[in-house]
Amino acid sequence: MSSLTEKAKDLFSSKKIKEYDNLAGFIFISPWLIGFIAFTIIPMILSLGVSFTRYDVISAPEWVGLKNYIDIFTVDSTFRSSIKITFFYAFVSVPLRLAFALFLAVLFNQKRKMVGLYRTLFYIPSVIGGSVAVAVMWRQLFGSSGALNSLLNAFFGMDIARSWIRHPQSALWTLIFLAIWQFGSPMLIFLAGLKQIPGSLYEAALIDGANWWQKFFKITIPMLSPVILFNLIMQIISGFMMFTQAYIITEGGPFDQTLVYVLYLFRRAFSFYEMGYASALAWILLVIVAIITVIIFKTAPHWVYYESKGEF
Amino acid sequence: MEKSQLKTILYHLLIGIIGIAMFYPVLWMLSSSFKVEGTIFRNAHNLIPEAFTLSNYVSGWAGFGGTHFGIFFRNSFIITLTATAGQIFTSAAVGYGFARIKFRGKAILFALVISTLLLPQQVVMIPQYIMFSFIGWINSYKPLILPRFFAMPFFIFLMYQFIQGIPKELDEAAKIDGCGVYSIFFKIILPNIKPALITTFIFQFYWTWQDFFGPLLYLQSANKYPVSLGLKLFSDPSTVTNWGGMFAMSVLSLLPVLVIFIVFQRYLVEGISTTGLKG
């Protein structure tokens, strides 16, 4: 093969080939292009249109103008509380998960025995964490006679009869814990990032007499900051999309304390068949996610690549 | 010497403690699946069953109203394997198109692919539902499978990255041998991007197997349910609660996922590390 490669190099290095093959190009990308138009562009236009109507799927949509949007922002208190809950969920669970992932990545970025096995094992919760199996288990784990209360009773003599799932103050935290539990993916990404940091930086710091914490905050964190930024954006977005866990574990309750945005949207659309109203909610969600992404990007120059200024 | 030994012990001890806390829920599920119904929530924290039984697996498998878990598993495999096959092939083709072929508008179209990486699916969920119900696809697998035959941006990006890493000289050598763009794709590119194909297989398998939202929206009759919806039936108010059966079937539902993880974990780790994208 290598001689063939050489031959090819000789042949083509002299005359530069700049062939356009429009037909082949579009044939190869056609699956995406068709799917993009059929499953993204058209639905988005349709959704925007529907958001200005009252529509229950069965009877024809009725044009209501901006009414859905006005109602959402002026009279819908459930909208406001679901926004608050979703922000809390995303902005608490994602930083905690990333911090935990970074902590373990630093632990596993050492040349020691068993580290490879640990890395693999600690990734497992990420693999199964999104499943219904784990969700139904989580529901029992934190239930009134679940393993947590039983553990607290056995080891600390605490006799707790309450269900963590059904208590307004702890319900959302059980979901946050489940999110933190799935720290495996960012951990692996951080590990890959840590390996990219040149060892010479740490050697130089050692000569200057830097201690472990100084090295961590002045070298590791700044060098890793682009990776942290990327993960922050991706996971905050997916935090906003959380649905299955809230649907199965807490069912949005108690008293709507875990009614996250997408679950609220789902109820409006598929329990009450208010497709117009729910479409307006979906568009607001898109705008919120876009604004958050822009804000994170805009603030990035203050902390990505440079010394942290207190954000971390 | 002494000090470094102590450090090593502390290191493994710390990881051990974190590990136990992390794996406790999974082990609890496993042990509960072998506990006799009625003893599951008595001293619930115990990981060793008072009496060991397989009856939960029998009663759980029986399912609900004649629909047993064999049917749920069969449905899950049908949906997952077809969707995954579609995703692997189409995303490889699209990735190749963007990575290797020059055509008009490529830069703009690729920018679109990248920008829709972040587009939440929930935004198009309602109009998709309206569209699919108009063409009569409700209560069929089509809404769950067919969109997967149109290359998702995440996998296009993965394939694109991978194909970029293959030396262009290979294509050019094949061209001299008389290969066109199509046979280069099949003979040169596909055999050389096996790791990317396997990574796509793993992720798409996981996502489809564990998907709850899609089946919840589109499937109505229980005999069409995949495992994810089947499991949910255990906690429905209308069914008699069978916690043991629920734990047993939960364990079974995770088996395919764990087997794939054990067999292919090397590819998974590489896939996550190279794309930097979450799984």
Side-chain angles (χ1 to χ4, degrees):
Chain A
M1 199 51 122
S2 72
S3 68
L4 199 65
T5 324
E6 310 274 61
K7 201 168 78 182
K9 254 187 191 160
D10 291 342
L11 253 167
F12 284 95
S13 56
S14 49
K15 50 172 183 174
K16 231 180 167 188
I17 39 156
K18 255 222 153 112
E19 297 164 5
Y20 275 78
D21 194 341
N22 289 329
L23 180 67
F26 276 96
I27 286 175
F28 274 106
I29 68 152
S30 62
W32 167 74
L33 195 58
I34 296 167
F36 181 64
I37 294 166
F39 301 122
T40 304
I41 294 289
I42 294 175
M44 281 185 83
I45 296 168
L46 198 67
S47 149
L48 190 63
V50 170
S51 76
F52 297 113
T53 66
R54 184 182 296 129
Y55 183 42
D56 61 2
V57 193
I58 299 153
S59 43
E62 175 198 339
W63 185 264
V64 294
L66 285 170
K67 187 179 184 300
N68 291 329
Y69 291 94
I70 292 166
D71 283 355
I72 288 170
F73 284 113
T74 54
V75 290
D76 191 344
S77 60
T78 315
F79 163 77
R80 253 169 282 158
S81 79
S82 78
I83 286 272
K84 240 189 265 168
I85 289 160
T86 312
F87 265 80
F88 186 80
Y89 171 78
F91 283 94
V92 171
S93 70
V94 174
L96 282 177
R97 179 204 277 177
L98 292 184
F100 199 54
L102 183 61
F103 172 68
L104 283 166
V106 170
L107 271 186
F108 292 153
N109 190 35
Q110 302 186 8
K111 284 195 183 70
R112 286 181 189 273
K113 275 180 196 162
M114 312 269 283
V115 165
L117 178 70
Y118 290 155
R119 243 179 260 164
T120 311
L121 283 176
F122 278 59
Y123 183 65
I124 288 180
S126 265
V127 171
I128 59 174
S131 65
V132 174
V134 165
V136 293
M137 174 265 283
W138 214 255
R139 191 181 151 98
Q140 300 311 321
L141 191 70
F142 291 99
S144 54
S145 49
L148 179 66
N149 282 345
S150 176
L151 272 174
L152 290 173
N153 191 14
F155 287 96
F156 303 103
M158 295 160 83
D159 195 12
I160 301 169
R162 82 165 189 210
S163 160
W164 301 83
I165 304 287
R166 299 231 167 86
H167 196 283
Q169 264 154 15
S170 57
L172 190 57
W173 281 97
T174 64
L175 303 180
I176 291 173
F177 268 120
L178 181 51
I180 299 170
W181 192 60
Q182 304 168 52
F183 59 85
S185 302
M187 176 189 79
L188 290 182
I189 297 168
F190 288 153
L191 260 170
L194 286 173
K195 292 208 167 29
Q196 303 287 321
I197 302 176
S200 58
L201 283 179
Y202 292 106
E203 283 154 28
L206 204 65
I207 294 166
D208 290 347
N211 63 28
W212 190 90
W213 289 103
Q214 284 169 325
K215 281 192 281 184
F216 181 74
F217 283 108
K218 308 257 167 173
I219 299 173
T220 311
I221 293 278
M223 290 300 283
L224 218 52
S225 55
V227 185
I228 295 174
L229 170 73
F230 185 78
N231 273 278
L232 200 62
I233 296 173
M234 292 298 279
Q235 303 201 9
I236 284 194
I237 292 177
S238 62
F240 268 84
M241 301 306 137
M242 194 268 273
F243 170 81
T244 306
Q245 287 73 25
Y247 183 89
I248 293 176
I249 299 173
T250 56
E251 298 167 13
F255 311 114
D256 290 349
Q257 284 302 305
T258 59
L259 188 69
V260 289
Y261 198 90
V262 176
L263 183 54
Y264 177 52
L265 193 160
F266 176 86
R267 278 194 190 164
R268 280 281 176 172
F270 301 104
S271 301
F272 308 129
Y273 286 95
E274 296 171 331
M275 294 297 176
Y277 198 88
S279 294
L281 285 172
W283 270 93
I284 292 167
L285 176 66
L286 183 67
V287 172
I288 292 173
V289 167
I291 290 172
I292 289 170
T293 311
V294 170
I295 290 174
I296 297 178
F297 264 119
K298 288 271 181 198
T299 60
H302 297 293
W303 50 278
V304 168
Y305 284 116
Y306 304 110
E307 279 181 27
S308 67
K309 288 175 183 165
E311 276 90 347
F312 273 89
Chain B
M1 201 60 195
E2 284 276 301
K3 204 184 163 195
S4 81
Q5 253 174 353
L6 186 72
K7 255 187 159 175
T8 307
I9 293 169
L10 282 176
Y11 177 82
H12 292 285
L13 198 69
L14 175 67
I15 289 170
I17 292 168
I18 301 172
I20 289 168
M22 260 185 51
F23 278 99
Y24 179 78
V26 183
L27 296 175
W28 182 67
M29 166 165 57
L30 186 67
S31 93
S32 297
S33 78
F34 294 117
K35 286 178 183 173
V36 177
E37 181 75 35
T39 69
I40 293 174
F41 293 108
R42 194 165 67 211
N43 290 324
H45 67 279
N46 272 345
L47 290 184
I48 299 151
E50 288 170 36
F52 182 92
T53 176
L54 284 174
S55 65
N56 294 324
Y57 284 84
V58 178
S59 69
W61 187 265
F64 313 90
T67 318
H68 56 81
F69 262 80
I71 294 173
F72 296 145
F73 272 96
R74 187 204 61 192
N75 295 341
S76 270
F77 274 111
I78 292 173
I79 300 169
T80 306
L81 292 178
T82 0
T84 306
Q87 187 67 261
I88 292 174
F89 188 75
T90 55
S91 59
V94 175
Y96 170 71
F98 279 120
R100 284 295 210 260
I101 302 171
K102 292 193 174 77
F103 56 92
R104 291 174 78 87
K106 179 163 121 171
I108 296 167
L109 291 173
F110 194 64
L112 266 179
V113 172
I114 298 301
S115 60
T116 49
L117 261 177
L118 297 173
L119 183 80
Q121 272 304 302
Q122 276 75 356
V123 174
V124 290
M125 143 191 113
I126 294 164
Q128 276 188 3
Y129 179 86
I130 296 170
M131 281 165 54
F132 292 147
S133 65
F134 259 115
I135 44 180
W137 283 7
I138 302 297
N139 204 23
S140 83
Y141 294 153
K142 285 174 205 147
L144 306 176
I145 293 174
L146 270 169
R148 302 285 91 84
F149 276 73
F150 296 92
M152 255 174 76
F154 174 83
F155 296 112
I156 297 174
F157 183 62
L158 178 83
M159 298 288 185
Y160 175 86
Q161 292 278 76
F162 226 89
I163 295 169
Q164 291 283 38
I166 298 169
K168 276 215 166 84
E169 286 81 12
L170 281 181
D171 300 28
E172 279 151 11
K175 248 180 224 166
I176 296 168
D177 290 348
C179 285
V181 277
Y182 304 98
S183 42
I184 288 174
F185 174 63
F186 286 104
K187 287 183 185 154
I188 308 290
I189 299 295
L190 276 186
N192 277 299
I193 55 167
K194 252 184 224 153
L197 300 177
I198 292 173
T199 309
T200 304
F201 166 77
I202 301 168
F203 279 124
Q204 188 63 63
F205 187 96
Y206 284 178
W207 291 346
T208 323
W209 186 269
Q210 302 187 339
D211 183 24
F212 176 73
F213 201 53
L216 180 71
L217 270 191
Y218 291 111
L219 300 178
Q220 286 154 352
S221 32
N223 63 357
K224 287 187 177 159
Y225 280 7
V227 177
S228 58
L229 280 189
L231 282 177
K232 176 70 174 78
L233 289 177
F234 279 112
S235 50
D236 267 13
S238 56
T239 53
V240 184
T241 42
N242 171 6
W243 300 122
M246 184 195 83
F247 282 116
M249 291 306 108
S250 294
V251 170
L252 280 192
S253 80
L254 293 177
L255 276 187
V257 171
L258 287 173
V259 167
I260 286 176
F261 177 70
I262 290 160
V263 175
F264 294 116
Q265 50 111 347
R266 190 169 61 87
Y267 292 98
L268 192 73
V269 171
E270 273 170 27
I272 293 169
S273 314
T274 53
T275 56
L277 291 169
K278 165 189 152 57

